[in-house]
Amino acid sequence: MSIVIKGATVVSTYGQRQMDVRIVDEKIAAVGVDIATPADTIVDARGCYLLPGFIDAHTHMELNNGPGTASTADNFTTGTIAAVAKGTTAVIDMATPDRGHSLQECLATWNNLAAGKSSSDYSYHMSLIEWNSQLAAEIPKMAAQGITSFKMYMAYDNLRTTDAEIYAAMCEIKKVHGMLGIHCENGDLVNALQAQYLANGLTAPKYHALTRPNQLEAEAINRYLTIAALADLPVNIVHLSTRESLAVVRAARARGQKVYVETCPQYLLLDDHYYELPNFEGAKYVCSPPLRSQQDEQALWQALEQGEINTISTDHCDFNFHEQKFIGKDDFTKIPGGMPGVETRPELIYTAGVTTGKISVEQFVGLLSENIARQFGMYPQKGIIQVGSDADLVIWDPQQTGVISAQTQLQNVDYSAFEGFKTKGAARAVYLRGQQVAAQGQLLVGQQGKFIARHGSDYHLK
Ligand SMILES: [Zn+2]
């Protein structure tokens, strides 16, 4: 099976050039000017960009929030259809073990959720919600099975560990050249503020944001980076959202520390005014960290322009507004946290970032694909259009326009956080390992996603 895609502008972080690309079976077989046809299929992609398939390194496709809420609205089946239809050909989901259970059991659970159901390729970050010698011994076993990234928490009482436990985990992760990402908020102080607000009868969604102020994120990031410096481990900060946090990162980098920063579309495009919406609609935007001020948004865009933010993923974790979010109608702390996003990231960031000139199309490719592949040990299999790489490709039409709406979305949830947002630029065709899986934003064939066995992070090199 061979396909030649002709005439598109091929983009990587290094630059762009009009070239043809030949796909043979699952791989890219040739990249060059005027590649000779014939092929089984010839695709005319003039006027379009050809981009490496986007990777979303932060999803919760099937998170069980415990009794009362039930699972997220999307699961691997529906969530990855939404992903791949719009150009995201790989996801790294957050796998979270139950307390007292092994990482190996958790890996088996997540494989059950994804295998045979996922329409994108997939892997997982393994969460460490406690720490002991058995878990330490499992880190190299995880790495041997292709799980080379880990997630920890500084907030949420059921998930967070102590600073000493984080340090101990870092020392083990370092041995396998793994990448750690931490949810950075000061959990003790979040708890204290929540109790204080509730005691004063302040129960509306807007108090979600007021009980998780900027400083609590910046303080936790500072502590995280202090621990990482002790362990001499390059680390990732997931969903960074404030200008104070950026200042902490800059100071650490100035000291020579390797720090990688993820942000998400909601922190770039939405602000805390959404919490004021009437009829409990503010609950749609309850996520942690919360939406921030317009000043924070601007600071994040500046950081993107200057290359201080390395990746944009979504933290896709969606609960239906009716039924699920309403559980917190009388108590904002009971609103299940998170919002949909895996479907809309490419169009949102292209529209708000590239068409406005804030970031280049090369930066766009880095933020949504190449940097993620390098950071999480799947480069050059993923994240680049070059000979030998998986043929995960997006023919991106920069002229195509659209409007984001819950009515038309593929995400299996009853609202969109970006309702009415006008987009410019969209995936015209999406290929996963050489097979065209989507056209014009709709799935053609599904459930062919494979587990990606990852190596250590490129960021341990040099
Ligand atoms: Zn998350």
Side-chain angles (χ1 to χ4, degrees):
M1 220 347 237
S2 62
I3 302 170
V4 172
I5 299 172
K6 290 196 77 69
T9 299
V10 177
V11 184
S12 76
T13 58
Y14 296 102
Q16 52 175 284
R17 192 173 169 198
Q18 195 175 7
M19 285 190 289
D20 300 341
V21 171
R22 178 189 292 277
I23 303 167
V24 176
D25 300 327
E26 295 199 346
K27 300 285 183 186
I28 294 168
V31 182
V33 177
D34 283 329
I35 285 181
T37 43
D40 297 325
T41 309
I42 296 166
V43 180
D44 180 356
R46 282 173 295 179
C48 290
Y49 290 115
L50 190 62
L51 310 178
F54 307 122
I55 304 164
D56 191 334
H58 192 156
T59 67
H60 303 265
M61 283 299 172
E62 199 158 349
L63 179 117
N64 191 322
N65 210 38
T69 319
S71 288
T72 43
D74 273 305
N75 54 30
F76 264 96
T77 304
T78 61
T80 58
I81 287 173
V84 85
K86 305 294 162 68
T88 296
T89 52
V91 300
I92 313 180
D93 203 65
M94 297 294 173
T96 310
D98 292 325
R99 201 163 281 274
H101 288 255
S102 70
L103 304 183
Q104 195 63 45
E105 285 172 85
C106 179
L107 180 56
T109 300
W110 252 256
N111 280 333
N112 273 332
L113 296 178
K117 298 172 194 158
S118 185
S119 292
S120 67
D121 282 357
Y122 57 91
S123 183
Y124 327 113
H125 305 289
M126 185 55 65
S127 299
L128 303 166
I129 64 163
E130 56 192 332
W131 188 251
N132 54 49
S133 57
Q134 292 94 314
L135 293 171
E138 282 200 277
I139 300 277
K141 292 178 186 158
M142 286 294 117
Q145 294 169 85
I147 301 290
T148 53
S149 56
F150 301 87
K151 171 89 181 282
M152 298 182 86
Y153 293 83
M154 297 170 103
Y156 303 117
D157 290 348
N158 58 334
L159 298 173
R160 65 185 163 131
T161 54
T162 66
D163 295 350
E165 289 169 332
I166 290 171
Y167 174 72
M170 283 180 177
C171 293
E172 298 304 317
I173 290 167
K174 186 179 174 184
K175 292 176 189 166
V176 300
H177 290 183
M179 180 55 63
L180 176 63
I182 292 197
H183 178 118
C184 297
E185 287 184 293
N186 184 315
D188 272 343
L189 291 176
V190 170
N191 290 348
L193 291 178
Q194 287 182 338
Q196 189 183 358
Y197 275 67
L198 288 177
N200 289 318
L202 304 174
T203 61
K206 66 179 176 185
Y207 300 114
H208 169 73
L210 297 178
T211 53
R212 310 182 90 97
N214 286 24
Q215 309 91 289
L216 301 198
E217 179 185 285
E219 183 280 329
I221 289 176
N222 191 48
R223 194 154 31 99
Y224 175 32
L225 297 184
T226 302
I227 305 167
L230 286 179
D232 189 26
L233 182 75
V235 289
N236 183 36
I237 299 165
V238 297
H239 49 48
L240 181 142
S241 66
T242 76
R243 57 198 188 284
E244 291 87 347
S245 301
L246 286 168
V248 171
V249 168
R250 282 184 197 115
R253 285 175 173 161
R255 293 192 297 268
Q257 210 171 333
K258 287 186 183 176
V259 182
Y260 300 92
V261 173
E262 170 197 278
T263 194
C264 312
Q266 56 270 33
Y267 303 115
L268 293 163
L269 297 168
L270 305 174
D271 64 61
D272 51 11
H273 289 97
Y274 283 87
Y275 294 123
E276 306 283 349
L277 287 173
N279 305 320
F280 195 61
E281 283 204 62
K284 292 177 177 174
Y285 303 91
V286 166
C287 56
S288 296
L291 302 179
R292 304 295 191 182
S293 70
Q294 290 177 353
Q295 258 183 306
D296 290 301
E297 253 180 73
Q298 283 164 12
L300 291 175
W301 277 110
Q302 263 168 20
L304 272 179
E305 288 173 51
Q306 286 158 21
E308 294 178 316
I309 292 175
N310 307 87
T311 62
I312 301 176
S313 289
T314 64
D315 202 4
H316 176 89
C317 184
D318 55 1
F319 294 97
N320 285 311
F321 176 54
H322 299 100
E323 311 291 328
Q324 296 185 300
K325 291 277 187 181
F326 262 89
I327 291 162
K329 192 168 56 65
D330 302 315
D331 177 351
F332 67 90
T333 66
K334 296 202 165 63
I335 300 169
M339 56 173 81
V342 74
E343 179 172 353
T344 47
R345 175 185 61 143
E347 292 176 11
L348 288 171
I349 300 302
Y350 189 86
T351 303
V354 180
T355 71
T356 58
K358 287 180 179 155
I359 57 171
S360 65
V361 68
E362 288 89 346
Q363 284 175 297
F364 175 71
V365 163
L367 290 161
L368 272 69
S369 182
E370 186 175 319
N371 299 351
I372 295 173
R374 288 179 185 273
Q375 182 163 349
F376 295 109
M378 46 183 157
Y379 182 91
Q381 182 191 348
K382 307 289 191 189
I384 182 114
I385 299 174
Q386 71 178 28
V387 173
S389 293
D390 284 356
D392 297 347
L393 300 166
V394 178
I395 298 178
W396 186 265
D397 181 348
Q399 301 304 331
Q400 191 168 321
T401 57
V403 180
I404 291 174
S405 169
Q407 297 299 315
T408 51
Q409 72 183 354
L410 296 171
Q411 294 168 148
N412 184 39
V413 61
D414 66 357
Y415 75 99
S416 170
F418 301 97
E419 188 69 37
F421 189 99
K422 293 187 173 67
T423 59
K424 186 165 187 199
R428 192 177 91 184
V430 182
Y431 297 80
L432 175 64
R433 284 177 282 100
Q435 181 182 19
Q436 190 179 354
V437 292
Q440 301 294 354
Q442 298 299 318
L443 188 79
L444 297 176
V445 286
Q447 303 191 324
Q448 62 288 86
K450 282 188 187 167
F451 176 77
I452 308 160
R454 295 179 289 125
H455 51 80
S457 173
D458 286 13
Y459 295 160
H460 283 266
L461 306 172
K462 283 176 279 184

